[in-house]
Amino acid sequence: MSKSLRLSEKWFRRGLWLVALVFASFLIGLGGTVVGDLPRVETPLQLDDFLDRPAAEALRAQVRAARQAEQDAQSALEQAQLQRGKARSESQAERETFNNWLAARSVTQRAEHDPEVLARTQALDVLKQAERQTQQAVEVQQQAALDARQSATAARQGLERLEAEGAKKLAAERRQVELRVFLYRLALTLPLLALAGWLFVKQRKGTWWPFVWGFIFFALFAFFVELVPYLPSYGGYVRYVVGIVLTALVGRYAILALNRYLERQKQAETLPDQQRRKELGYDVALARLAKGVCPGCERPVDLKDERIDFCPHCGIGLFDRCGTRKSAFARFCHACGTSSRQTAPEPATGA
């Protein structure tokens, strides 16, 4: 249709489309802010909200105490192992000294050395007893460390079981929160879509069409960007069902619109030629002629063939003559400039 518009009108229409886009951008920004704040309506969820608090705190305290006991036992074990190593070294050194002395005595066979043998044997027994005591101390600390580890493991397993049950409840509640937030989005978006649909059907060609189209763009953005990505999945069933429903609705509207259009065309083709041309908008007629189709039935016609003055499909007059062949929809003759003999149709309004 742009070829049939005045130059100034073309630029005005471009400016109005820019107004529509700017209007839509501000609406989208406002809608995005509102939708982004919707999750704040719900209270943030934490795992502790779904646990048996006293039992969880008792198990955590038990884990902390067992870990501390394990650390203390490990430190004591290291000290006991150090003392055991020292006792072993002393006992080993004394045993070697005693063995050397016994070897020397077996050579001399002096009886006066017998008391010293007893004394050295007793001293060696004392060192061996001290070594055994340090070994027992090491074993005690090893047992304490093992008990602490087992106690920590048992408490940790109990806490993990408790947290696993709480995590299931948390996940279920989060799904409920996501569903409620989606319903908030749906309650906000559906009225916008309904209003946009009504505006598209009733007002898209009205005086305020830039704002109408801006609102339609905003509603479509809110649906496809702010709502569709947050559809609950449930294994994909919800999205497929929603897609089927939307396709069915859009397809039904398209089929009904096509049938209404064909019915209107049939009724229009039964009207007298002059009345049909009056009901066609001037810009619409010129736009269809520029595309090489009949303004009445929109079927292709060879407009360059000077033998064709009427549409061979619907019979509407395409050209008449006032000394020269001219368009039947033109307001003035392009050759002589006289006014058309037919009453010119009023120009159509709209986008």
Side-chain angles (χ1 to χ4, degrees):
M1 188 183 294
S2 61
K3 293 183 179 180
S4 65
L5 298 178
R6 301 177 181 88
L7 181 61
S8 299
E9 189 176 356
K10 290 182 182 180
W11 284 103
F12 272 118
R13 286 186 177 275
R14 292 170 183 172
L16 290 176
W17 276 114
L18 180 61
V19 170
L21 293 176
V22 172
F23 183 62
S25 68
F26 282 114
L27 287 177
I28 289 171
L30 177 62
T33 302
V34 173
V35 171
D37 289 338
L38 286 179
R40 297 183 181 180
V41 176
E42 297 289 337
T43 304
L45 300 177
Q46 297 179 350
L47 179 60
D48 285 354
D49 298 333
F50 300 89
L51 297 180
D52 184 351
R53 288 290 185 88
E57 290 300 327
L59 288 172
R60 287 169 180 168
Q62 186 176 348
V63 170
R64 289 192 296 269
R67 287 176 178 173
Q68 184 63 44
E70 183 181 358
Q71 292 177 357
D72 295 342
Q74 186 63 33
S75 299
L77 175 61
E78 292 174 356
Q79 291 292 333
Q81 288 174 339
L82 181 62
Q83 295 298 325
R84 183 186 62 181
K86 181 179 178 182
R88 282 180 176 178
S89 298
E90 292 177 353
S91 176
Q92 183 67 25
E94 183 63 24
R95 185 178 295 106
E96 290 177 355
T97 302
F98 181 66
N99 290 335
N100 292 334
W101 184 84
L102 285 178
R105 182 183 178 284
S106 65
V107 174
T108 59
Q109 295 293 324
R110 297 174 61 181
E112 63 268 19
H113 289 167
D114 290 342
E116 187 175 356
V117 172
L118 295 175
R120 284 177 177 270
T121 301
Q122 292 175 354
L124 188 60
D125 290 340
V126 171
L127 291 176
K128 193 64 177 178
Q129 181 65 28
E131 182 180 351
R132 283 195 297 271
Q133 290 176 352
T134 57
Q135 178 63 32
Q136 291 174 353
V138 168
E139 292 173 354
V140 169
Q141 297 305 324
Q142 286 177 337
Q143 185 63 46
L146 178 61
D147 293 341
R149 282 196 298 271
Q150 291 177 343
S151 177
T153 300
R156 192 160 47 246
Q157 289 175 348
L159 182 61
E160 287 174 355
R161 286 192 296 270
L162 194 64
E163 289 179 344
E165 295 175 359
K168 293 180 181 178
K169 297 178 182 178
L170 175 62
E173 183 61 25
R174 280 180 174 170
R175 287 193 294 270
Q176 294 297 322
V177 170
E178 290 175 358
L179 180 59
R180 288 197 295 271
V181 172
F182 170 75
L183 293 177
Y184 299 153
R185 294 174 183 265
L186 187 64
L188 184 65
T189 305
L190 281 185
L192 297 179
L193 283 176
L195 180 57
W198 181 84
L199 291 173
F200 176 79
V201 173
K202 301 293 185 180
Q203 303 293 327
R204 71 178 186 273
K205 295 182 179 180
T207 304
W208 307 103
W209 66 265
F211 298 106
V212 171
W213 279 104
F215 187 86
I216 292 172
F217 293 153
F218 158 63
L220 292 176
F221 180 89
F223 177 75
F224 287 105
V225 177
E226 303 293 354
L227 181 65
V228 171
Y230 299 93
L231 277 172
S233 177
Y234 295 109
Y237 289 100
V238 172
R239 298 190 178 185
Y240 286 127
V241 170
V242 171
I244 291 171
V245 171
L246 289 178
T247 305
L249 292 176
V250 173
R252 180 179 180 275
Y253 174 81
I255 291 171
L256 293 177
L258 175 60
N259 291 333
R260 287 194 298 266
Y261 167 77
L262 294 176
E263 186 63 28
R264 287 196 305 268
Q265 287 297 108
K266 289 179 180 179
Q267 294 177 0
E269 290 175 8
T270 62
L271 297 175
D273 184 84
Q274 184 176 354
Q275 184 179 350
R276 292 179 63 190
R277 286 202 299 271
K278 286 182 180 180
E279 292 181 355
L280 281 172
Y282 177 70
D283 292 333
V284 173
L286 293 185
R288 291 177 180 176
L289 287 171
K291 296 177 181 177
V293 298
C294 170
C297 65
E298 298 185 61
R299 294 185 178 95
V301 179
D302 186 4
L303 300 176
K304 296 180 180 180
D305 188 346
E306 295 187 357
R307 296 173 299 175
I308 298 177
D309 290 338
F310 295 86
C311 175
H313 307 290
C314 66
I316 193 172
L318 302 176
F319 297 93
D320 54 25
R321 301 176 187 272
C322 60
T324 186
R325 183 173 180 264
K326 69 178 183 63
S327 172
F329 298 91
R331 294 178 177 177
F332 298 91
C333 177
H334 66 276
C336 62
T338 58
S339 177
S340 174
R341 288 175 296 178
Q342 304 292 339
T343 303
E346 293 297 327
T349 60

